[in-house]
Amino acid sequence: MMGIANVSSPEVFVLLGFSARPSLEPILFIVVSGFYVASILGNGIIILVSCMDVHLHTPMYFFLGNLSFLDISFTTSIVPQLLVNLWGPQKTISYGGCVVQFYISHWLGATECVLLAVMSYDRYAAICRPLHYTVIMHPQLCLSLALASWLGGLTTSMVGSTLTMLLPLCGNNRIDHFFCEMPLIMQLACVDTSLNEVEMYVASFIFVVLPLGLILVSYSHIAKAVMKIGSAEGRRKAFNTCSSHVAVVALFYGSILFMYLQPAKSNSHEQGKFIALFYTVVTPMLNPLIYTLRNKDVKKALGRITLENCCGFVGSRRHI
């Protein structure tokens, strides 16, 4: 039994990543490091501002704070190991580290799909039912929707990732990617993976296709409501209310669809790595940028917090 376990579960996995292009790795190390730091800072600021400024204690910023925390967690589950592998000659990750990585990335990926759908419903309520918005999006419902997003993602990750972890790998340990992803672990298995594939397709439909459908339905109703607004100023305000969320959804789903709808060519897998790099590193950094650049409320809140801190610091210096 011990011999079978050793064959089935290698002690380490080799993440091939971008090792086929060694001259590119130092450049990627610098670029990825920069984007990672910017992502942590940007999303951290969003969380801080949403908590500290009472004007942002609304459903929209509650969900945005959840999204920012999710983005920090998602990038942190992947990027540190990626940087280690880009910097040194060793391209390995421990078996336990790989398992943790695909559990967490699967959990947070599914959670983000549901959370984006929840945020689109919030925008639908704000624009299509403005007089009843505070009644519809009451704090208990917001908390329930956020918990459902996190627990739903956790549930599908526990099921899918556990089924994958139970597959015998028979010594196969080379993953042609820069992080441990569930479909790639399944490809290493030396047994039939039909059950795993069925589970993956069902989970993809529930946690990717259905949320996208809900987002499209929400925005079709929003578009109809906006078209009925008589004044150009009113339409502009309604558009600004949704534009940041639309941009984030387009970035997230656009990169996913582009990656999984690629033709089966020899170079498509290499392209897929760069697209995966985009949605794991670049997109989480762009999300806070989109919400701060296109959102007057966040800008004002940042200004108020900065002014209060500066004034408090000057006042304390005077007392000294």
Side-chain angles (χ1 to χ4, degrees), residues 97-266:
C98 187
V99 169
V100 169
Q101 196 173 73
F102 72 71
Y103 264 99
I104 293 176
S105 61
H106 189 184
W107 171 24
L108 299 179
T111 299
E112 183 158 3
C113 291
V114 180
L115 190 59
L116 289 173
V118 168
M119 293 172 77
S120 72
Y121 176 73
D122 172 65
R123 294 300 84 206
Y124 159 79
I127 292 174
C128 299
R129 306 287 298 278
L131 298 178
H132 303 93
Y133 177 67
T134 54
V135 176
I136 296 171
M137 300 303 295
H138 54 84
Q140 290 81 2
L141 178 64
C142 293
L143 184 61
S144 299
L145 290 172
L147 282 173
S149 302
W150 287 96
L151 293 177
L154 179 61
T155 301
T156 189
S157 176
M158 292 297 291
V159 174
S161 299
T162 302
L163 286 174
T164 303
M165 190 179 69
L166 294 174
L167 291 171
L169 304 181
C170 302
N172 298 323
N173 71 336
R174 295 171 70 84
I175 301 173
D176 192 10
H177 214 312
F178 60 86
F179 71 101
C180 293
E181 198 175 27
M182 197 170 72
L184 296 172
I185 302 293
M186 287 166 55
Q187 290 176 14
L188 300 179
C190 52
V191 295
D192 181 51
T193 59
S194 298
L195 175 63
N196 300 74
E197 290 170 14
V198 169
E199 187 280 331
M200 187 173 67
Y201 290 134
V202 171
S204 297
F205 178 77
I206 295 172
F207 287 93
V208 179
V209 178
L210 279 183
L212 180 58
L214 290 171
I215 290 169
L216 294 175
V217 169
S218 295
Y219 276 105
S220 67
H221 286 290
I222 289 170
K224 290 176 185 177
V226 171
M227 293 302 292
K228 292 178 182 177
I229 298 174
S231 67
E233 179 65 19
R235 285 195 296 270
R236 187 186 65 79
K237 286 182 178 179
F239 174 76
N240 287 340
T241 302
C242 300
S243 58
S244 296
H245 181 254
V246 170
V248 169
V249 169
L251 277 172
F252 180 76
Y253 275 102
S255 57
I256 289 177
L257 292 174
F258 188 78
M259 185 172 69
Y260 287 106
L261 295 179
Q262 288 183 98
K265 296 179 181 177
S266 59

Side-chain angles (χ1 to χ4, degrees), residues 19-37:
S19 56
R21 306 182 184 190
S23 60
L24 189 62
E25 289 186 322
I27 299 169
L28 284 176
F29 179 86
I30 295 169
V31 172
V32 170
S33 298
F35 276 108
Y36 180 56
V37 171

